[in-house]
Amino acid sequence: MASPPLQQSSFLLASLKADYLNKPFLQRCQDLVKVIDDYPAKELHLLFTWLVESVFGSLDGSIVGWNVRFVQARTNEYNTIVEFLDPSGPMMKLVYKLHAEEYKYDFPISYLPGPVRASIQEGVLPDCPLFHNKLQFPPSGLLSLSLSLNPFEYYMFYFAASLIVQRSYLPGQHFSPSDSAYFVLVDSYLKYFLPTEGNVPPSLVPVVRGTVSPPPPRSPIVPFTGYGVHHTSLLKRHISHQPSMNADPAAQEIWRSETILQVFVEMWLHHYSLEMYQKMQCPQVKEPFCPTEEHVLVVRLLVKHLHSFSSSQRPELITSSPSAHSHTSPLEEFKRVVIPRFVQQKLYVFLQHCFGHWPLDASFRAVLETWLSYLQPWRYTPEKQSPHMDNQDRTVPDKWAAFVQENLLMYTKLFQGFLNRTIRTDLVNPKNALMVFRVAKVFAQPNLSEMIQKGEQLFLEPEHVLHHRQHRFLTPSLGGSFLSSRQPFITDSVFKVKSHVYSLEGQDCQYKQMFGAEVRNTVLRLSQLIAQAKQTAKSISDHSAEEAANQSFLSWFGFGSSDLNTSYLGNDIDYMGLDSIKKTDEYLDRTLDYICQIFKLNSAQLSQLMVSFVSTQDDGGSKQLPDCIQEANGLLLTDLGRLQMINGLRKFDIDYQGDPELQPIRSYESAVLVRLLYRLSSLINERFAGEMDSLCSRRGFSSRLARYFLTASSTAETSKRSPLTRRSLERQPQPRISLRYLGSYRTLLSIFLLYVIASFFGFGPVSFIFWGLLACFCHGVVMTMFADKRKTH
């Protein structure tokens, strides 16, 4: 009886696979919509896993799929993909069709985040209730474990996992993560399943109720420590389709909201275990997963929407007593606990890892904005503020004091991590200056610093002792969802703050106060670095203005600066223009003002400190070497010296240490003359090398005069200003003739002008050459005599 439908499904799958290769994209999608509408779930069951993989690509990266992450709004496929995968679109209709028939699909645990996968393989069930009663134990052992998921869970797991699979787009293609079809779909799913207004819309296909087989029993092979007696949870009731004809319709649909949130949080944030973070907080520890900028931007979208979702609960429930919560709808209760119960811990560890391992470049802006979005839930409240009011003029309402206290480490510990990054970055770069300005502006909001200080005071209260099981008030109990065991209402603010800190940092953590002396000293050091960066930006601006003024139609003769060692190489500001320098100066000026507001610094004293520091830099800072130590093989930069060079505060005078005759031909030199003169001087030096060496090695005035003309200037002075190695210092210059200066347009023009002047006094070519050589000889005699006198003194 079952053979014909199976054969028909196999034929349908083969036909769709053939169309996938031959038909255009739009026609394939139209055919899929028709198949989903016309065929029953029994025949669509075999197509589901192939279709999901065809859309999002394989999890091992071998199949690209529709490349949803890189499809931009300007492409032809964009609207078709967004409509097909929309929460009310054909794909979700297929999911609900299969869900009504209670089909299950296997998702390998090898594609789960590292801590979740490791926990399952060690025989410990993860705390997240999403993984409970879903493990399948194959005969081959734990290495091939998989999760048995319903169609909605399988689709969402695959959708979330496709973000972290390494894929590449075409090299010439301009890619904007926030303009991709994937980003838009994430936003659509969040708004649909976590609505800020009203309830979650019902399923497109009514769920067929009937006899449901119980979950498969746990295999006795692995003693899961988390597999104790579990409370009945809302999530497990409705994912397992336990029939309840009298259940509230809103409660019947809330499982989708909880499922999609837990899938997103687990797949996007749970890549770093809290235990590893607490035990190994050092730069040497590197975990295998490194998030991309696209990944962080999607996380920021999640954070922003969760703030809006949480703030949309009815006002009377926010200030009501705990007993009133028992009469609220499941969706309203979900809004109340969504951030502290599901997001806080994993986001904190995720951001900590990013702060410690992200490169010191402008791409950190994505991480920074994600952090700042979490710190400001008041920006996403339903109350509309005046669009003309600056963020700095908005006082943080007192009702958010509890949020600040219960997320104290998000404000204090991550702020200190940002300080440690900032003092190692180039603040002259306007992008880095903007990031410092953004953080200072957020923390300088009126009433926020007082809330943070109050939270630190509550944590430092000595008379309150935490219960050893306080962490159970912050995470879901094993085997249940957020409604499985209602969190006790804790009236003691001290207990809340201590529970938050100890649950994330451990009972033996050494808390460093944000407004303590150590952090305050770091802030003063940052203020000095800001002053240095302002001075460097001013120097670059003056240098650029001078170079622009020196440009003229004679610049090709070489009258401009020819010293390559004096240019500001390696700084992005060179390629951004004077407008960017002005922006840098403006950002840094306002940052200093905000720092004074946050830490209650005396602006007059800080300004005096900055003026004295800058004057010291003007007097001798630019003439000093970077901080370094002398070793046997030369100078070795210290960490302070690297910081000084990164910010352009000090530098070595890098001189060319090779053969002067083999330097690249400059723009003010004639390439033909330089090459001819080099050949001529090489022939002379090879022919008379012995005689010149013998003449310069003697003692007497004639030998000193010969060394003046035949040897390069001493490197004794430049060796103090340049990081020369010991071997290069010991290298002795060989006497030789150099004619390269005659290939310079400047020299040729000078000789021509002198000859024109001399011709007015009756000098011919021969006499002009004779008197010119005689003048050079006399100049050498005088310089040799003065050199002898300087050595005597």
Side-chain angles (χ1 to χ4, degrees), residues 357-573:
H357 295 80
W358 201 275
L360 294 173
D361 57 20
S363 65
F364 184 72
R365 178 76 184 275
V367 179
L368 183 80
E369 294 299 337
T370 303
W371 173 47
L372 296 181
S373 295
Y374 184 84
L375 298 186
Q376 303 176 87
W378 46 87
R379 291 183 56 194
Y380 310 101
T381 55
E383 298 87 9
K384 300 297 182 183
Q385 309 246 11
S386 173
H388 303 290
M389 183 183 298
D390 186 23
N391 289 335
Q392 188 59 27
D393 299 329
R394 301 175 182 174
T395 301
V396 180
D398 293 331
K399 68 177 183 179
W400 294 105
F403 178 87
V404 174
Q405 294 167 9
E406 294 170 13
N407 292 271
L408 185 63
L409 291 176
M410 285 285 194
Y411 292 88
T412 60
K413 187 74 178 290
L414 291 181
F415 179 82
Q416 296 167 29
F418 178 74
L419 281 181
N420 293 333
R421 287 183 58 92
T422 303
I423 61 177
R424 293 179 291 150
T425 56
D426 178 15
L427 296 180
V428 183
N429 188 315
K431 295 180 180 179
N432 294 333
L434 175 60
M435 287 192 285
V436 181
F437 163 74
R438 287 281 296 121
V439 173
K441 182 177 180 180
V442 168
F443 277 84
Q445 293 177 89
N447 206 26
L448 179 57
S449 59
E450 289 78 5
M451 290 181 179
I452 298 174
Q453 283 181 298
K454 178 62 176 177
E456 292 192 323
Q457 292 171 4
L458 292 174
F459 174 74
L460 296 174
E461 287 287 338
E463 62 269 16
H464 294 274
V465 180
L466 281 177
H467 194 271
H468 72 282
R469 292 186 302 179
Q470 47 81 26
H471 66 276
R472 293 194 180 273
F473 296 145
L474 293 176
T475 57
S477 60
L478 296 176
S481 73
F482 72 95
L483 293 181
S484 60
S485 59
R486 188 175 300 279
Q487 177 178 350
F489 183 76
I490 307 173
T491 59
D492 190 356
S493 299
V494 176
F495 186 79
K496 287 183 179 180
V497 176
K498 288 180 179 287
S499 299
H500 159 68
V501 174
Y502 290 144
S503 66
L504 293 180
E505 293 291 328
Q507 294 284 350
D508 55 347
C509 72
Q510 299 295 324
Y511 182 77
K512 186 190 299 182
Q513 298 183 59
M514 176 177 167
F515 295 93
E518 186 176 348
V519 176
R520 192 181 184 89
N521 291 334
T522 306
V523 170
L524 291 176
R525 182 184 176 190
L526 173 62
S527 302
Q528 291 183 341
L529 292 177
I530 290 175
Q532 292 177 1
K534 284 168 57 64
Q535 185 66 17
T536 303
K538 182 178 181 298
S539 301
I540 295 174
S541 178
D542 295 342
H543 179 80
S544 301
E546 290 177 4
E547 283 192 344
N550 290 333
Q551 296 299 323
S552 66
F553 72 97
L554 292 177
S555 61
W556 67 279
F557 283 112
F559 289 121
S561 175
S562 61
D563 187 3
L564 296 179
N565 295 321
T566 60
S567 61
Y568 290 83
L569 297 178
N571 198 313
D572 292 342
I573 209 76

Side-chain angles (χ1 to χ4, degrees), residues 285-309:
V285 177
K286 294 184 179 180
E287 299 193 50
F289 181 80
C290 295
T292 61
E293 186 176 356
E294 178 195 9
H295 182 173
V296 176
L297 289 174
V298 173
V299 171
R300 185 186 180 220
L301 178 64
L302 173 65
V303 169
K304 291 168 64 177
H305 183 81
L306 290 181
H307 275 320
S308 300
F309 177 70

